[in-house]
Amino acid sequence: MASLCFSPSVLSCKIKPPITGFRKQRLSLFVCRAASLTFRDLDADDFRHPLDRQNTLLLRAIPGLNDIGKALLGTVSEQIMLLENIGTSVLVSENQLPELHYLMVEAARILNIEAPDLYIRQSPVPNAYTLAVSGKKPFVVVHTSLVELLSQKELQAVLAHELGHLKCDHGVWLTFANILTLGAYTVPGVGSLIAQRLEEQLLRWLRAAELTCDRAALLVAQDPKVVVSVLMKLAGGCPSLSDQLNVDAFLEQARSYDKASSSPVGWYIRNAQTRQLSHPLPVLRAREIDEWSRSQEYRSLLQRAIQVNSVQKV
């Protein structure tokens, strides 16, 4: 696979041989990071996906959407979400899971955005999501099974993806969509509307927004194979198989999917397959990020970036 990848030339201190899987990596005195790029003047529109722009305009055109969102995300609902995470998850900080804290802080620095709170939640379903509660600091939730599944670089790419939602000010719509995907369909007075028009349009917007945030993940990882590896593992990975997964083979699989769905019948099946999904298919996301990593748009962003070295004591 032809890819644009920034490889570190100098490490700031000695590191141990690589160990597969974040769960197998032991705490050391320092988290050593290679020279990386940071985007001091990065604007959300610098990397926003065209489908995100298009579907945002369509979403804004839906009458009463903001009123529905405010009704769903009222004071009581927001307080429930906030207390649910505080009460059932672990808040990451300098003194609590410091390596994860550093991954978030560094990703936020690269994207030039304030780091949100980060919670780790026990769950067998690999997932991560962002909730923006009005008047409160936004927070990201990562499930323990996702931490188990990914390497350190891959996990930071996931955090960067979630930061992309905040960088792009997806805000209330993102929280609204996350509530939908988490199963909150029975809201008095709006359930039928969600089922008919709003749900479909909101999910279409969310799928487009996910493509934008995959680009944010690439800006932090600065290696398309890291982002594609995350998508591959979400499609069919587990800790015991991680060492055997092949990114290039997965990209070839993505190209074969494009070919199979290029016919009229294939196009219809593809749309039916994705219509009710909150995220694009992993193979489509992999193909999108692979193509963007080789684009002039991405190269131009890298040329604008500033190289920095960072070492964090933990």
Side-chain angles (χ1 to χ4, degrees):
M1 176 188 68
S3 63
L4 182 63
C5 172
F6 273 68
S7 300
S9 57
V10 179
L11 286 176
S12 54
C13 59
K14 187 177 181 181
I15 59 173
K16 297 179 180 179
I19 305 173
T20 303
F22 186 83
R23 65 191 177 93
K24 297 180 182 178
Q25 299 179 19
R26 298 167 57 187
L27 280 173
S28 58
L29 180 61
F30 291 91
V31 175
C32 305
R33 304 295 291 177
S36 63
L37 300 179
T38 186
F39 301 87
R40 296 285 173 82
D41 59 347
L42 184 67
D43 185 82
D45 286 333
D46 290 337
F47 62 93
R48 196 185 301 272
H49 195 281
L51 289 177
D52 187 2
R53 294 191 187 97
Q54 176 185 338
N55 283 281
T56 296
L57 293 175
L58 292 173
L59 205 59
R60 286 174 177 166
I62 297 178
L65 176 62
N66 286 335
D67 292 335
I68 294 173
K70 289 176 182 178
L72 179 60
L73 303 176
T75 304
V76 175
S77 298
E78 291 179 342
Q79 193 69 10
I80 290 173
M81 289 187 295
L82 184 63
L83 291 177
E84 172 73 10
N85 279 282
I86 293 177
T88 63
S89 308
V90 174
L91 176 62
V92 175
S93 69
E94 291 182 354
N95 301 316
Q96 182 72 273
L97 303 174
E99 283 195 347
L100 293 177
H101 172 75
Y102 178 67
L103 292 179
M104 172 62 88
V105 170
E106 186 187 42
R109 174 185 57 76
I110 293 172
L111 293 175
N112 193 25
I113 185 175
E114 181 182 356
D117 285 337
L118 172 61
Y119 289 91
I120 302 298
R121 186 168 190 170
Q122 188 69 240
S123 174
V125 180
N127 194 20
Y129 53 92
T130 299
L131 293 174
V133 179
S134 64
K136 303 286 185 181
K137 189 176 183 180
F139 57 90
V140 173
V141 180
V142 177
H143 289 175
T144 51
S145 54
L146 190 61
V147 178
E148 292 284 311
L149 180 63
L150 303 179
S151 71
Q152 205 168 24
K153 288 183 178 180
E154 292 164 353
L155 185 59
Q156 187 175 53
V158 169
L159 297 178
H161 175 101
E162 298 305 320
L163 288 172
H165 285 302
L166 299 175
K167 182 73 176 181
C168 294
D169 198 25
H170 290 152
V172 172
W173 292 344
L174 173 65
T175 303
F176 195 177
N178 277 327
I179 288 176
L180 279 175
T181 59
L182 291 172
Y185 291 87
T186 56
V187 180
V190 299
S192 60
L193 178 59
I194 290 175
Q196 294 174 12
R197 181 182 180 186
L198 180 56
E199 180 187 354
E200 181 178 339
Q201 184 59 52
L202 198 57
L203 290 178
R204 184 182 297 117
W205 168 82
L206 182 56
R207 290 193 296 271
E210 294 298 321
L211 297 177
T212 292
C213 295
D214 285 343
R215 293 181 172 191
L218 178 57
L219 291 176
V220 170
Q222 294 157 22
D223 181 352
K225 286 193 173 184
V226 172
V227 182
V228 174
S229 181
V230 172
L231 300 170
M232 176 177 59
K233 288 181 178 180
L234 289 175
C238 66
S240 63
L241 296 178
S242 293
D243 293 340
Q244 303 177 55
L245 291 170
N246 186 306
V247 167
D248 292 327
F250 190 68
L251 286 171
E252 183 59 35
Q253 178 183 334
R255 287 187 280 271
S256 68
Y257 181 87
D258 280 341
K259 184 177 180 180
S261 61
S262 61
S263 68
V265 173
W267 180 88
Y268 177 82
I269 295 173
R270 172 173 166 172
N271 280 280
Q273 190 177 22
T274 60
R275 186 174 182 179
Q276 293 302 314
L277 297 178
S278 62
H279 291 58
L281 296 173
V283 290
L284 299 181
R285 294 172 67 182
R287 184 254 295 155
E288 283 280 341
I289 205 63
D290 178 54
E291 290 180 355
W292 194 65
S293 74
R294 292 181 278 109
S295 70
Q296 184 57 47
E297 183 181 13
Y298 176 63
R299 292 173 185 267
S300 297
L301 282 174
L302 291 180
Q303 290 172 359
R304 286 169 41 191
I306 301 171
Q307 185 166 304
V308 295
N309 294 312
S310 58
V311 180
Q312 177 72 22
K313 186 174 181 179
V314 295

